[in-house]
Amino acid sequence: MGDQPALTAGHAAIAEYVVQTAAAAGFDLTAMAGNVVPGSARDDDLMGTAGPDSLTGEGGNDTLSGGDGLDIAILQGAQTLYTLTIGDEITLTDRSALDGTDILRGVEFLDFSDGRFDLTRFDDGVTLTGDQFRSLTEVYVSYFNRAPDALGLLFWADALANGTTLDRISDAFAMSEEGLEVFPLDAQLFEFVSSVYQNTLGRAGDDAGVNFWANALQSGGVGRGDFVLRVLEGARAAPPEDATPEFLAQQVADRAYLDGKIDIGLYVATQLGLSDVAAASGIMALYDGSGQSVAAAIAAADQTSEVASGIDDSGQFLIVLVGIGDALSIV
């Protein structure tokens, strides 16, 4: 790659010898390869150096260990042909079988034939608890009224795992291009508050609640990003001691609605690894709070996943997260 030293004719001959030998034996190639680490058609165990390395597994199911420094895995195909699975181990599967399935350890970047992917922006989210993932997904679906895309959810999960607070994430959502399309800055306050209630809880707000929040926003006591979080916190908060039966019933209904939306969102983004925003919107549009609509959304997500897993023009880059199945009540 660009930062690698040029090979002399003698070095190129040595590298070619290593590749040919490995093709016959499928062994560790690092003894002579330096920081350009070539692979073979066999199953190889490639070990990087203390500095930056470029590791090319080629065919077979390989283990690519970058070690220290910024390390790059070199792939043969376009990004849409691959499935990245993040868990206790990180694996990359070429669904066309050209590169096989590779285990990635200490690798920071993936170089596909059509561009580079920065793995460091997506791999720490796996350290979040199930409750943290649900809280993040709850904010996501409440802002955008769709299932999260895998790339977006795992980007923000990585940020959350590295110290960015939900308040800051919520503010970023509020001022994002998509967030401003959903909740325009020039919308009337009552219209904005009503839209948040509808997206978040699937219902119109009560008059007292809408007036309270509109006044809080007007006075500057609550910001646009804060508002969605405060509505969510209200739905999850312990009810007041003098709560009426109607209030208690509505809070139960609100929580159930949110939980269904979160389950669909997590299933789409973490279990199927889908990042098609249009599909994410269409899937969530099927949800109305009922059990039947959850089943319909999941069926639509599975159908979308089947198409996205192809190796033709319909294929997509999929990012699956392992280890948070307990955070979902539908799997």
Side-chain angles (χ1 to χ4, degrees):
M1 300 303 294
D3 295 329
Q4 303 298 343
L7 292 175
T8 67
H11 288 155
I14 292 171
E16 179 63 21
Y17 171 79
V18 173
V19 171
Q20 290 176 354
T21 306
F27 58 79
D28 186 338
L29 299 170
T30 60
M32 302 171 67
N35 63 352
V36 177
V37 188
S40 72
R42 304 289 294 273
D43 298 344
D44 298 309
D45 187 0
L46 308 184
M47 298 292 293
T49 67
D53 303 294
S54 296
L55 303 101
T56 305
E58 296 190 6
N61 300 323
D62 308 309
T63 298
L64 310 183
S65 301
D68 296 332
L70 296 177
D71 303 299
I72 305 168
I74 309 297
L75 293 315
Q76 300 180 75
Q79 188 171 334
T80 53
L81 296 174
Y82 292 79
T83 298
L84 180 67
T85 302
I86 301 175
D88 293 335
E89 293 268 30
I90 298 178
T91 62
L92 184 68
T93 300
D94 178 0
R95 298 192 301 271
S96 73
L98 188 63
D99 280 322
T101 295
D102 296 339
I103 297 173
L104 308 177
R105 296 173 180 162
V107 171
E108 285 74 32
F109 300 99
L110 308 177
D111 262 23
F112 299 99
S113 64
D114 56 352
R116 176 170 293 185
F117 180 79
D118 184 351
L119 186 55
T120 67
R121 308 299 296 272
F122 302 91
D123 59 347
D124 286 338
V126 72
T127 64
L128 297 179
T129 66
D131 286 343
Q132 287 175 308
F133 247 109
R134 290 190 70 83
S135 294
L136 175 61
T137 304
E138 185 173 62
V139 176
Y140 215 110
V141 299
S142 296
Y143 263 103
F144 305 130
N145 198 29
R146 63 170 173 82
D149 54 294
L151 279 168
L153 183 64
L154 295 186
F155 173 87
W156 289 111
D158 187 277
L160 185 62
N162 285 290
T164 303
T165 65
L166 270 181
D167 289 270
R168 290 187 63 188
I169 292 172
S170 184
D171 286 339
F173 285 178
M175 299 310 297
S176 68
E177 182 177 346
E178 184 178 2
L180 291 173
E181 288 180 0
V182 177
F183 303 124
L185 284 174
D186 58 357
Q188 295 294 320
L189 283 179
F190 285 98
E191 179 184 352
F192 171 60
V193 172
S194 298
S195 296
V196 170
Y197 266 94
Q198 193 64 50
N199 274 15
T200 303
L201 304 176
R203 64 174 176 85
D206 58 281
D207 290 341
V210 171
N211 286 325
F212 172 83
W213 288 117
N215 290 331
L217 287 161
Q218 180 68 49
S219 68
V222 175
R224 288 168 64 92
D226 294 334
F227 173 47
V228 172
L229 283 181
R230 302 296 86 84
V231 171
L232 292 170
E233 288 172 0
R236 300 294 186 186
E241 293 183 359
D242 60 349
T244 65
E246 292 79 14
F247 178 94
L248 294 173
Q250 185 62 70
Q251 190 175 55
V252 169
D254 288 344
R255 291 174 179 176
Y257 181 85
L258 280 168
D259 285 339
K261 213 168 189 182
I262 293 167
D263 282 339
I264 294 168
L266 280 173
Y267 184 74
V268 168
T270 68
Q271 306 301 292
L272 301 181
L274 298 169
S275 292
D276 185 326
V277 173
S281 295
I283 290 165
M284 192 61 77
L286 298 172
Y287 179 63
D288 62 13
S290 67
Q292 293 91 336
S293 67
V294 172
I298 295 303
D302 287 339
Q303 187 174 37
T304 301
S305 176
E306 185 175 350
V307 175
S309 298
I311 58 173
D312 53 17
D313 291 341
S314 67
Q316 298 177 24
F317 182 47
L318 305 176
I319 309 180
V320 176
L321 196 66
V322 177
I324 66 162
D326 290 344
L328 284 78
S329 61
I330 55 177
V331 295

